[in-house]
DNA sequence: CGTCTTTGACCAGCGC
DNA sequence: GCGCTGGTCAAAGACG
């Protein structure tokens, strides 16, 4: 800790009287004791944050379960999982309005849209539907299994690495988008019905839009479970999360009704009617027949084509305009690179948000540090959320009047200041060292402040993914 | 040699 | 009926 470093004697010890040495030693010991107390206090704070997180998570799933799914209507819906997209949304020529309504941190929003012609919304086409119907049990799949999951992410590589094995079977240049659309099918197991489309956003070439359809009929590699679980869970939410009723008429109308956006842990889960042009991808002709789940991992100002209403929300956005933030995640959509690559921590975040499974991975301080550094440096809102949480905890603690709490308050303020001040800076090294310091000081006290019990699942999964990564490499 | 990608052809749905 | 469009097929070539 810097406190200790500052207290290190700088002058020649030979000229310092023995009494002064002892005084400094005692002073250093006292400082160490205070630091330990601070660590204990921080641990309590984090425990409380964890409790709050779990409580919110439980509330979220309760709401999901309580929402009586109307499968006849939900099959006509799109679900959009937005991570941090808070900018104003365009729906054709209209803009959206906001209607907060749900409690427990769950917001809802309304939106208007013009009838969209999104190729994303219409895949698979009727031909495929007929084809799958001829395949026997394919048509027996429930809407969840038939749901499509569209993932938007910033990625320089041709495809996202989702851990699965894909084989490209076609490529087309769709009208209105100079970027060709690639068609892949899962080759992990023969006969796997899962297919995906990959296309770059015409308005922002850095955004890669991947649309998945179908469920895997085989075990998935560990590195692929994050995305698969995400899509599956999102599809489940698609059915359970809609309380709004729609009709085919509504789908054909020029304006759509309001569907809720739920915010949990900073993640926005919004439901869109299928006619909503969530993302540009113009030119589609067929009517929407499958529910579509859109997972927006972008929040760049340039992604003005995203059609999410602007609404005030506390959002954790783990995307970054710099794709290198996830160097080991994207790219090379072939084979099983996922076994050697880390599962994107934000994907795991999503997965855990749905599954409620707080992974208790092994300790990996370095991975945690890097993850924290990336999370903090990649998004200001993340820093703000952390700072706000710490501020809240510290302030409530300081009200107790305990002098040590005042020190904790000061420490928290410094931490907040340090976090917030990272805006606009390349502070990976700083964040890394900062949390290294936290973690190392924690280990001194024998606690597990930042270890698997960390309240943010992103951190837990960072452990997990790192562990998986090491396992696969071994 | 096996696997994968490329790419033109083909098919079906939709709008005019 | 025709043209447009999206999606799939399959032969040929590339690659390790």
């Amino acid at each position: 800790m810097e406190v200790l470093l500052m207290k290190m004697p700088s002058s020649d010890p030979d000229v310092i009287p023995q009494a002064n040495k002892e005084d400094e030693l005692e002073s250093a010991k006292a400082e160490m004791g205070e630091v330990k107390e601070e660590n204990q206090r921080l641990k309590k704070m984090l425990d409380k944050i964890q409790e709050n997180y779990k409580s919110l998570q439980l509330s979220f799933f309760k709401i999901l379960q309580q929402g009586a799914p109307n499968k006849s209507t939900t099959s006509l819906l799109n679900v959009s999982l937005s991570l941090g997209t808070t900018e104003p949304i365009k729906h054709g020529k209209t803009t959206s309005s906001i209607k907060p309504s749900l409690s427990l941190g769950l917001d809802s929003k309304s939106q208007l849209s013009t009838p969209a012609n999104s190729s994303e919304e219409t895949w698979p086409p009727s031909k495929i539907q007929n084809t799958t119907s001829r395949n026997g049990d394919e048509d027996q799949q429930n809407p969840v299994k038939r749901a499509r999951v569209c993932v938007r992410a910033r990625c320089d590589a041709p495809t996202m690495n989702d851990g699965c094995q894909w084989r490209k079977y076609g490529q087309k240049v769709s009208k209105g988008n100079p970027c060709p659309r690639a068609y892949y099918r899962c080759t992990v197991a023969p006969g796997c019905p899962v297919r995906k489309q990959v296309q770059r956003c015409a308005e922002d070439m850095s955004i890669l839009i991947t649309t998945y359809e179908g469920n895997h009929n085989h075990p998935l590699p560990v590195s692929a479970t994050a995305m698969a679980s995400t899509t599956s869970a999102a599809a489940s939410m698609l059915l359970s999360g809609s309380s709004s009723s729609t009709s085919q008429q509504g789908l054909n109308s020029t304006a759509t009704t309001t569907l809720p956006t739920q915010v949990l842990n900073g993640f926005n889960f919004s439901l869109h009617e299928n006619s909503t042009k969530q993302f540009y991808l113009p030119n589609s002709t067929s009517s929407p027949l499958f529910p579509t789940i859109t997972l927006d991992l972008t929040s760049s100002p340039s992604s003005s084509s995203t059609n999410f209403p602007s609404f005030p929300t506390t959002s954790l956005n783990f995307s970054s305009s710099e794709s290198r933030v996830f160097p080991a995640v994207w790219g090379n959509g072939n084979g099983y690179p996922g076994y050697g690559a880390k599962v994107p921590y934000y994907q795991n975040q999503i997965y855990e948000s749905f599954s409620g499974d707080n992974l208790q991975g092994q300790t990996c301080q370095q991975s945690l540090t890097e993850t924290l550094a990336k999370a903090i440096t990649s998004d200001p809102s993340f820093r703000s959320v952390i700072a706000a949480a710490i501020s809240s905890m510290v302030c409530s603690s300081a009200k107790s009047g305990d002098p040590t709490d005042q020190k904790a308050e000061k420490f928290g303020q410094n931490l907040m200041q340090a976090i917030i001040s990272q805006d606009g800076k390349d502070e990976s090294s700083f964040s890394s060292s900062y949390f290294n310091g936290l973690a190392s000081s924690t280990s001194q006290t024998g606690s597990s402040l930042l270890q698997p019990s960390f309240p943010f699942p992103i951190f837990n999964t960072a452990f997990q993914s790192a562990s998986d990564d090491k396992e696969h490499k071994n």
Side-chain angles (χ1 to χ4, degrees), chain A residues 281-355:
Chain A
L281 284 185
N283 309 310
S284 148
T285 54
S286 57
S287 60
L289 295 175
F290 290 91
T292 300
I293 303 139
T294 302
L295 221 137
D296 190 3
L297 303 179
T298 68
S299 68
S300 165
S302 60
S303 60
S304 57
S305 61
T306 55
N307 296 299
F308 292 100
S310 174
F311 60 98
T313 172
T314 302
S315 227
L316 292 184
N317 181 350
F318 300 107
S319 66
S320 169
S321 59
E322 300 180 53
S323 58
R324 63 178 174 83
V325 172
F326 313 110
V329 171
W330 308 117
N332 187 11
N334 305 327
Y336 275 94
Y339 275 124
K342 294 179 181 178
V343 174
Y345 58 73
Y346 52 86
Q347 288 182 7
N348 267 340
Q349 160 72 39
I350 300 164
Y351 163 57
E352 289 195 24
S353 293
F354 281 112
S355 67

Side-chain angles (χ1 to χ4, degrees), chain A residues 66-375:
Chain A
Q66 289 172 357
N70 184 345
K71 294 187 178 183
S72 63
T73 59
T74 55
S75 63
L76 301 174
L77 300 176
N78 289 341
V79 176
S80 176
L81 312 185
S82 173
L83 286 81
T85 301
T86 58
E87 70 248 31
I89 307 301
K90 298 176 182 177
H91 297 280
K93 295 178 180 179
T94 65
T95 56
S96 59
S97 58
I98 304 161
K99 285 184 181 179
S101 64
L102 296 180
S103 60
L104 293 171
L106 303 180
D107 300 336
S108 72
K109 63 184 177 184
S110 62
Q111 59 184 37
L112 297 173
S113 71
T114 56
N117 290 329
S118 169
S119 55
E120 288 290 332
E121 311 302 338
T122 61
W123 181 75
S126 302
K127 176 186 176 183
I128 303 177
Q129 295 158 20
N130 295 335
T131 301
T132 54
S133 296
R134 287 192 299 265
N135 290 340
D137 57 356
E138 285 292 330
D139 57 347
Q140 302 299 322
Q141 289 184 330
N142 60 34
V144 174
K145 292 182 179 179
R146 314 257 334 232
R148 291 176 288 141
V149 178
C150 178
V151 179
R152 284 167 52 91
R154 295 194 174 279
C155 177
D156 292 333
T159 65
M160 290 193 308
N161 169 24
D162 47 25
C164 227
Q165 189 173 12
W166 303 95
R167 176 169 183 165
K168 188 176 183 179
Y169 67 89
Q171 179 171 307
K172 272 284 190 181
V173 176
S174 57
K175 189 180 177 182
N177 191 339
C179 302
R181 177 183 304 164
Y183 301 88
Y184 297 87
R185 60 163 53 99
C186 177
T187 59
V188 173
C192 179
V194 177
R195 298 183 183 186
K196 76 170 180 179
Q197 290 183 348
V198 177
Q199 187 175 33
R200 293 212 168 270
C201 179
E203 300 174 13
D204 188 344
M205 297 295 187
S206 65
I207 296 177
L208 197 68
I209 302 173
T210 306
T211 305
Y212 299 87
E213 190 260 340
N215 261 10
H216 296 278
N217 58 3
H218 53 82
L220 286 171
V222 176
S223 55
T225 55
M227 179 61 76
S229 299
T230 299
T231 57
S232 177
S236 299
M237 190 185 78
L238 170 68
L239 295 182
S240 63
S242 172
S243 57
S244 302
S245 62
T246 60
S247 64
Q248 191 61 39
Q249 286 179 335
L251 293 176
N252 293 331
S253 64
T254 55
T256 59
T257 56
T258 298
L259 292 170
T261 289
Q262 299 172 347
V263 180
L264 176 68
N265 247 14
F267 291 88
N268 306 331
F269 304 91
S270 58
L271 301 175
H272 300 271
E273 289 193 2
N274 217 351
S275 62
T276 300
K277 181 184 178 184
Q278 297 176 29
F279 310 118
Y280 76 97
L281 284 185
N283 309 310
S284 148
T285 54
S286 57
S287 60
L289 295 175
F290 290 91
T292 300
I293 303 139
T294 302
L295 221 137
D296 190 3
L297 303 179
T298 68
S299 68
S300 165
S302 60
S303 60
S304 57
S305 61
T306 55
N307 296 299
F308 292 100
S310 174
F311 60 98
T313 172
T314 302
S315 227
L316 292 184
N317 181 350
F318 300 107
S319 66
S320 169
S321 59
E322 300 180 53
S323 58
R324 63 178 174 83
V325 172
F326 313 110
V329 171
W330 308 117
N332 187 11
N334 305 327
Y336 275 94
Y339 275 124
K342 294 179 181 178
V343 174
Y345 58 73
Y346 52 86
Q347 288 182 7
N348 267 340
Q349 160 72 39
I350 300 164
Y351 163 57
E352 289 195 24
S353 293
F354 281 112
S355 67
D357 177 22
N358 282 323
L359 300 175
Q360 301 294 319
Q362 298 177 354
T363 300
C364 181
Q365 179 178 322
Q366 183 60 31
S367 175
L368 167 67
T369 302
E370 292 174 357
T371 303
L372 287 170
K374 287 177 182 177

Side-chain angles (χ1 to χ4, degrees), chain A residues 36 39 363 365 436-451:
Chain A
K36 286 181 180 179
N39 287 336
T363 300
Q365 179 178 322
N436 260 332
L438 271 180
S440 57
S441 66
T442 297
S443 62
Q444 288 176 0
T445 60
S447 63
S448 57
L449 178 62
L450 294 175
Q451 292 184 3

